[in-house]
Amino acid sequence: MLAIAILAAGKGTRMKSDLPKVLHHLAGKSLIERVLSSTQGLNSTRRLIVVGHQAKRVKGALKNYQDLDFVLQQPQNGTGHAIQQLIPKLKGFKGELLVLNGDVPLLKERTLSSLLKFHKESDASVTFLSASLDSPTGYGRVFTNQSGLVQEIIEERDCNNEQRKNKLINAGIYCFNWLQLLDILNSLSSQNSQKEIYLTDTISLLKKALHFEVDDPFEVTGINDRYQLSECEYYIQKKLKSFWMARGVSFVDPISCTLSEDSSFGTDVIIEPQTHFRGKCNIGNHCHLGPSSVITNSNLADNVLAIHSFINEARIGENTSIGPFAHIRPETNISENSKIGNFVEIKKSFIGEGTKINHLSYVGDSTLGNNINIGAGTITANFDGKNKHRTLIGDHSKTGANSVLVAPIKIGSNVTIGAGSTISKDIQDESLVVERSKTIIRNKSKK
Ligand code: UD1
Ligand code: CA
């Protein structure tokens, strides 16, 4: 039986932040969510999260995870003290306890499975992940005897100069035999430079302590400050971009672009500088995106162009061009062969095939048919101060420049609206409509 405990009660003092450390983000996901996802497939009977500093906020951020069991640590008196809080929760439990620091976000599930396997096969009291680092600053150092058993972990602060030279570090991920840990858990002291109860002090008290060195030391990077956070972000981004480059995506200036892990790209996609993908985006083949576009939770079919634009929670059909300077907002569905031009905002609307909205328009809460031409400056007036109303426009209709369509309104097919009209009545198919006051021209010099 396997129980998992994630330590997430600390403040993260070195982050200098109002936000608890484990809620800081890397490539769009919080550190704690990343740790959780590395334990997703491990077949555990339960997942416990130790919370303390801003416990409510941390719990709130994880409200979508149904299986989590939160344990309060108050005050936060160190990682060993955090695990002591599990004692009442784990009454009668007999299996292995996998402990993860909530600030080690790059761990792979595969590595955890290997750790568990190694731990079981070697029948150890505890096995923890270690790494050999060229610059081990900030980590606890691991000391072994000749037969490879771990004798102790000494925190960097408590090391003497000689001990500090040891490059073998503790990654903060442990698999304990719970009953053996329980035997010694309450005998930890806080005689160290931080006056805290350290989980790492259990190592020298347990019968058989082993370490399991990871292949890729970067995987166990702990985040203590913003510099480490930015290094991890850089690492994730670099990996994502190389992955997609190998699959046929070009980045003109990769460093200036960011991707999310949940986005996917077709082949022959060209991504220009300063272009960002957030959440879950599906990008088709032959798209040309950027410079300077932000695409969030959207699906783009093949051959879409988007320049200097924001596209958020939208679907864009093939051969459609967006921008420059367009804002496509949530619940928008733009069909193929359409053209959305500069300074156009579209919200919660369906746009039919081949429809053009080329300049300076707002289209909100609307359903537009096929092959419509929306003239420059056309506005759907969808809000009456209280409620939003819909605008419907049939196929092949044209709105003149500066038309205002006061919703709720239904414009038929093949309608032409004269420039400058404010239309607040439904218009039949095949109509020409102009709503405009009479032009008055007077000669200014005559009295
Ligand atoms: C810890 C280890 C160190 C290891 C490093 C790996 C200890 C004493 N030291 O150091 O050997 O090299 O991780 O990254 O464990 N937390 C609580 N309650 C507390 C204190 C901390 O839940 O009272 C949580 C924090 O929220 C964090 C995790 O435990 O997620 C680690 O705490 P942190 O203070 O970052 O430990 P390190 O100094 O990095
Ligand atoms: Ca840490």
Side-chain angles (χ1 to χ4, degrees):
M1 274 226 284
L2 177 70
I4 294 176
I6 299 174
L7 303 186
K11 178 169 188 255
T13 311
R14 290 164 279 185
M15 294 300 278
K16 305 267 188 295
S17 176
D18 291 337
L19 190 67
K21 175 167 66 177
V22 295
L23 296 188
H24 279 261
H25 278 69
L26 276 178
K29 283 187 199 147
S30 67
L31 302 186
I32 183 87
E33 282 179 288
R34 287 181 176 276
V35 175
L36 279 166
S37 71
S38 68
T39 66
Q40 200 71 46
L42 288 181
N43 233 338
S44 58
T45 47
R46 56 203 296 194
R47 293 198 290 181
L48 301 136
I49 314 280
V50 182
V51 290
H53 174 73
Q54 293 197 41
K56 260 198 184 148
R57 195 163 176 182
V58 176
K59 272 177 153 175
L62 300 176
K63 63 177 184 302
N64 292 337
Y65 295 79
Q66 308 298 331
D67 67 309
L68 304 182
D69 196 351
F70 292 94
V71 181
L72 193 64
Q73 182 199 11
Q74 210 65 274
Q76 296 83 48
N77 202 14
T79 47
H81 180 248
I83 293 298
Q84 287 172 347
Q85 312 312 305
L86 302 180
I87 296 173
K89 283 272 177 187
L90 290 177
K91 228 180 180 149
F93 177 72
K94 287 203 178 70
E96 308 305 304
L97 177 70
L98 177 66
V99 175
L100 297 104
N101 278 359
D103 63 351
V104 181
L106 301 181
L107 257 188
K108 293 198 188 93
E109 195 172 289
R110 212 177 334 125
T111 307
L112 291 175
S113 310
S114 310
L115 168 70
L116 294 175
K117 188 162 174 271
F118 178 81
H119 172 79
K120 273 188 201 138
E121 286 169 2
S122 54
D123 197 30
S125 320
V126 59
T127 312
F128 59 91
L129 291 182
S130 63
S132 284
L133 300 188
D134 291 337
S135 36
T137 311
Y139 292 95
R141 307 296 205 276
V142 178
F143 296 88
T144 55
N145 66 14
Q146 268 130 6
S147 50
L149 285 179
V150 180
Q151 296 196 295
E152 59 180 334
I153 298 175
I154 307 180
E155 289 308 294
E156 179 170 86
R157 296 180 149 87
D158 302 306
C159 282
N160 61 34
N161 286 342
E162 206 45 44
Q163 291 168 326
R164 211 165 286 138
K165 287 184 192 149
N166 182 352
K167 293 185 170 197
L168 190 65
I169 64 99
N170 165 32
I173 314 295
Y174 321 76
C175 183
F176 289 100
N177 175 296
W178 170 247
L179 290 180
Q180 292 186 41
L181 176 64
L182 190 58
D183 267 350
I184 53 116
L185 193 52
N186 278 327
S187 58
L188 299 175
S189 86
S190 53
Q191 280 173 359
N192 50 57
S193 64
Q194 293 203 97
K195 305 275 173 286
E196 283 186 354
I197 299 173
Y198 288 165
L199 184 58
T200 44
D201 286 347
T202 59
I203 301 300
S204 54
L205 302 174
L206 288 164
K207 212 166 52 201
K208 185 175 180 188
L210 297 178
H211 70 104
F212 182 79
E213 196 173 329
V214 294
D215 298 334
D216 175 9
F218 218 86
E219 212 189 302
V220 294
T221 306
I223 308 286
N224 295 320
D225 58 34
R226 306 235 186 194
Y227 185 78
Q228 287 165 331
L229 188 72
S230 76
E231 277 195 319
C232 270
E233 179 77 46
Y234 178 77
Y235 174 84
I236 294 176
Q237 292 299 336
K238 197 171 166 199
K239 269 182 76 167
L240 282 171
K241 281 171 242 173
S242 348
F243 178 89
W244 288 111
M245 283 183 210
R247 282 157 185 79
V249 177
S250 285
F251 290 86
V252 175
D253 178 21
I255 285 182
S256 73
C257 297
T258 55
L259 306 187
S260 59
E261 285 138 323
D262 295 334
S263 291
S264 70
F265 300 84
T267 52
D268 283 318
V269 172
I270 297 177
I271 298 174
E272 299 252 19
Q274 300 286 1
T275 295
H276 306 279
F277 298 84
R278 295 177 179 161
K280 194 170 165 51
C281 296
N282 289 309
I283 309 296
N285 302 316
H286 301 277
C287 289
H288 194 140
L289 307 171
S292 295
S293 293
V294 180
I295 301 175
T296 309
N297 292 323
S298 292
N299 289 330
L300 277 54
D302 293 348
N303 209 19
V304 170
L305 311 180
I307 306 175
H308 279 278
S309 291
F310 285 81
I311 300 176
N312 187 9
E313 289 177 33
R315 285 180 160 272
I316 315 287
E318 59 187 48
N319 305 321
T320 287
S321 118
I322 311 279
F325 310 108
H327 188 185
I328 313 298
R329 293 172 50 199
E331 295 183 57
T332 293
N333 189 339
I334 299 175
S335 308
E336 57 235 53
N337 302 316
S338 303
K339 189 165 181 323
I340 311 301
N342 30 217
F343 307 106
V344 172
E345 176 179 349
I346 304 183
K347 184 214 80 171
K348 209 175 183 177
S349 294
F350 177 89
I351 311 296
E353 286 172 30
T355 286
K356 295 186 171 66
I357 311 175
N358 274 336
H359 335 264
L360 302 156
S361 285
Y362 171 67
V363 174
D365 302 296
S366 301
T367 301
L368 273 54
N370 301 332
N371 300 309
I372 289 171
N373 192 76
I374 298 292
T378 296
I379 305 291
T380 57
N382 58 334
F383 188 47
D384 62 11
K386 272 196 189 140
N387 297 306
K388 301 278 170 66
H389 301 284
R390 294 202 69 82
T391 298
L392 308 177
I393 306 181
D395 298 346
H396 300 285
S397 290
K398 299 181 178 68
T399 67
N402 256 13
S403 312
V404 178
L405 309 176
V406 183
I409 189 168
K410 186 170 180 223
I411 312 283
S413 302
N414 219 3
V415 167
T416 300
I417 296 174
S421 302
T422 297
I423 309 291
S424 49
K425 286 189 193 133
D426 289 355
I427 309 291
Q428 302 277 318
D429 294 351
E430 310 286 334
S431 309
L432 169 67
V433 49
V434 189
E435 154 80 56
R436 201 184 284 162
S437 48
K438 207 170 110 191
T439 310
I440 299 168
I441 307 176
R442 289 206 185 105
N443 187 324
K444 291 195 284 178
S445 57
K446 285 188 189 160
K447 288 248 161 116

